[in-house]
Amino acid sequence: MVLGIETSCDETAAAVVRDGREVLSNVVYSQIALHQPYGGVVPEVASRSHVESLTGVIAEAVNQSGVGWEGIDQVAVTYGPGLATCLLVGLSAAKGLALRLGKPLCAVNHLDAHLFSAFLGKDAPRFAESCPLTALVVSGGHTCLLTVDAPGQLRLLGQTIDDAAGEAFDKGAKLLGLGYPGGPAIDKAAQGGNPRAVDFPRGMHRRDKTRVGGLDAEYCFSFSGLKTALLYHLQKHPVQPGTPAFADVVASYQEAIVDALVSRCERATEYGGRFVAAGGVALNSLLRARLVEMAARKNARLFLAPPRYCADNAAMIAGLAGLGLGITGPAAMEIDVNPNLEIGA
Ligand code: KG4
Ligand code: ZN
């Protein structure tokens, strides 16, 4: 029975998970309203809010689980990647709690947990039995394509060389005046628009096996040019929100992001017939639909993280720890936050 804690960005979350699968409680306090006036996450505002709400969120998760404090066998917490001052709040609380309860601590990699979230739930397919896999992890700060031979055995195929897919959504939404968080706003505003109205760039499209930081360029992403293209397009062709022309631009922008993601995913299915997608951007309705089509075309089995576990949550942290993955023992008590932790590290 693992109590998970997650404070890497702008969600304060705690959850109780049995045997790495069964989610007994999953409490998420979103700070969206706090950051909305600033148009994005303000790290110091986020960390102070974690300090204020974490104790209550943890108590609520333990309460809802019905197992009580005495039923908790282990405390798990995100130690990276994320905002340093935010990670610090969760890690300090988890260390204190583990000492107080006399239970072991497990330090978890946030990105590994996102990947695992597709296998969370009593009736979900089992992670180990679903491997080997090809995986897409897409969040606000990361865009990674990987192979997973077995739980804990990940190999990075490619990643973004500039903005993450979530950043492309968030920055694009800002340019469009859609506010924060941008992903859900673009998803909604694109409905009914013509995705072929504007031909936005799709980032790097190299088939010449060029390497980027040791990775194959065929599997890498670039989204900063797309954002600039949107800026220039809007300067040249101003559009009014709520009009069909506006929906066309939004739909075309979303199409470019999703197309860039899915084309690399499709190429990566060469690595095997099982594909998993997870992370906040995996909530995107067009991306989900395109991945389903891709899986059908490639005759691949697709594991899409359930929408309730795509965005940041602590159930994925507790679940991964429950499978025995993460750093445990005295090393966990000694560990510091790692804002730049890489997936699979
Ligand atoms: O995984 P996540 O909750 O937090 C990080 O670890 O970063 O991902 C947040 C990201 C944000 O960039 C947000 O705009 C994006 O996920 N997102 C979406 C959608 N819902 C959330 N992007 C596209 N379409 C959505 N429906
Ligand atoms: Zn995340």
Side-chain angles (χ1 to χ4, degrees), residues 107-133:
V108 172
N109 180 325
H110 180 86
L111 294 171
D112 292 6
H114 266 306
L115 197 166
F116 159 74
S117 69
F119 306 99
L120 192 54
K122 216 168 54 205
D123 305 315
R126 288 183 184 268
F127 189 15
E129 289 163 16
S130 306
C131 292
L133 292 154

Side-chain angles (χ1 to χ4, degrees), residues 110 114 139-141 166-167 169-170 181-184 187 279-281 283-284 310-312:
H110 180 86
H114 266 306
S139 70
E167 260 175 303
F169 274 105
D170 294 335
D187 202 339
V281 179
L283 280 169
N284 184 264
C310 277
D312 287 350

Side-chain angles (χ1 to χ4, degrees), residues 6 8-9 11 81 110-111 114 138-142 279-280 310-313 316:
E6 153 64 45
S8 67
C9 189
E11 260 93 29
H110 180 86
L111 294 171
H114 266 306
V138 261
S139 70
H142 295 83
C310 277
D312 287 350
N313 65 85
M316 65 185 192

Side-chain angles (χ1 to χ4, degrees), residues 50-345:
H50 286 309
V51 171
E52 284 167 15
S53 42
L54 184 57
T55 315
V57 167
I58 293 173
E60 184 63 26
V62 173
N63 191 23
Q64 282 184 19
S65 73
V67 304
W69 290 106
E70 58 288 351
I72 303 296
D73 301 313
Q74 189 183 41
V75 180
V77 64
T78 306
Y79 75 104
L83 300 167
T85 53
C86 293
L87 292 163
L88 203 53
V89 177
L91 184 61
S92 309
K95 284 182 180 176
L97 203 52
L99 283 173
R100 170 67 182 84
L101 297 173
K103 300 293 177 187
L105 179 71
C106 179
V108 172
N109 180 325
H110 180 86
L111 294 171
D112 292 6
H114 266 306
L115 197 166
F116 159 74
S117 69
F119 306 99
L120 192 54
K122 216 168 54 205
D123 305 315
R126 288 183 184 268
F127 189 15
E129 289 163 16
S130 306
C131 292
L133 292 154
T134 313
L136 174 73
V137 178
V138 261
S139 70
H142 295 83
T143 307
C144 309
L145 204 50
L146 320 120
T147 57
V148 187
D149 288 337
Q153 286 176 34
L154 317 183
R155 186 169 74 86
L156 193 61
L157 289 176
Q159 61 185 344
T160 181
I161 60 160
D162 39 54
D163 290 347
E167 260 175 303
F169 274 105
D170 294 335
K171 291 178 178 174
K174 214 169 195 174
L175 294 172
L176 289 157
L178 287 170
Y180 154 89
I186 286 187
D187 202 339
K188 195 166 160 222
Q191 303 293 330
N194 174 9
R196 278 168 295 281
V198 187
D199 187 18
F200 285 117
R202 263 61 171 164
M204 342 189 341
H205 246 299
R206 295 191 192 152
R207 291 187 167 273
D208 57 0
K209 295 277 176 194
T210 312
R211 300 190 80 76
V212 185
L215 298 167
D216 194 334
E218 278 196 305
Y219 299 119
C220 289
F221 308 86
S222 166
F223 292 105
S224 68
L226 171 62
K227 177 192 60 191
T228 311
L230 174 65
L231 173 68
Y232 289 156
H233 180 84
L234 290 172
Q235 283 171 352
K236 252 187 164 158
H237 312 279
V239 278
Q240 288 304 315
T243 60
F246 184 79
D248 286 352
V249 177
V250 182
S252 302
Y253 185 75
Q254 174 175 255
E255 177 78 20
I257 299 175
V258 170
D259 193 29
L261 290 172
V262 176
S263 62
R264 272 84 166 165
C265 291
E266 183 146 357
R267 230 171 278 154
T269 54
E270 287 166 13
Y271 282 90
R274 294 148 180 252
F275 196 88
V276 56
V281 179
L283 280 169
N284 184 264
S285 55
L286 182 68
L287 177 60
R288 294 182 84 86
R290 286 289 159 79
L291 287 172
V292 169
E293 288 166 20
M294 175 200 88
R297 242 188 341 267
K298 290 286 174 180
N299 210 6
R301 170 121 194 246
L302 177 66
F303 303 91
L304 264 178
R308 65 182 175 286
Y309 301 134
C310 277
D312 287 350
N313 65 85
M316 65 185 192
I317 306 300
L320 196 66
L323 293 191
L325 296 164
I327 297 167
T328 50
M333 271 308 197
E334 295 292 320
I335 212 162
D336 200 354
V337 299
N338 186 348
N340 302 315
L341 188 64
E342 291 192 3
I343 194 163

Side-chain angles (χ1 to χ4, degrees), residues 6-63:
E6 153 64 45
T7 62
S8 67
C9 189
D10 59 344
E11 260 93 29
T12 313
V16 176
V17 176
R18 193 203 312 259
D19 298 333
R21 292 173 63 74
E22 195 184 343
V23 182
L24 300 183
S25 66
N26 185 23
V27 180
V28 181
Y29 169 71
S30 167
Q31 303 177 358
I32 286 177
L34 269 181
H35 301 289
Q36 229 145 20
Y38 307 101
V41 179
V42 183
E44 280 314 303
V45 172
S47 70
R48 279 177 215 181
S49 172
H50 286 309
V51 171
E52 284 167 15
S53 42
L54 184 57
T55 315
V57 167
I58 293 173
E60 184 63 26
V62 173
N63 191 23

